[in-house]
Amino acid sequence: MKRVIGYYRNAREELAKVIYPAKENIFSAFVSVVSVVLVVMLFLGLVDIILSVFLSSILS
């Protein structure tokens, strides 16, 4: 039982050392991730359209 209590005490001490990001940092990271996802999505959509048109013309 002492090991369990010691484990949770150490876990609480370690969590007290954690430095959480500010709201501004979270928002800027969110905007960055959404921007990259949108760019990749558009790129892959464009590649998909080009390849489907190309393969349709070959197979027709």
Side-chain angles (χ1 to χ4, degrees):
M1 188 66 171
K2 289 182 181 180
R3 291 179 63 190
V4 173
I5 292 172
Y7 173 79
Y8 282 108
R9 184 173 294 135
N10 288 338
R12 191 173 7 144
E13 289 173 4
E14 290 299 320
L15 282 174
K17 296 176 186 177
V18 173
I19 300 172
Y20 293 98
K23 287 184 180 182
E24 295 83 19
N25 294 349
I26 294 173
F27 182 73
S28 65
F30 173 77
V31 169
S32 300
V33 168
V34 170
S35 301
V36 169
V37 167
L38 287 174
V39 168
V40 170
M41 180 186 68
L42 290 172
F43 173 74
L44 291 177
L46 184 64
V47 169
D48 181 44
I49 291 171
I50 291 170
L51 287 176
S52 65
V53 168
F54 179 70
L55 288 176
S56 295
S57 67
I58 289 175
L59 297 175
S60 296

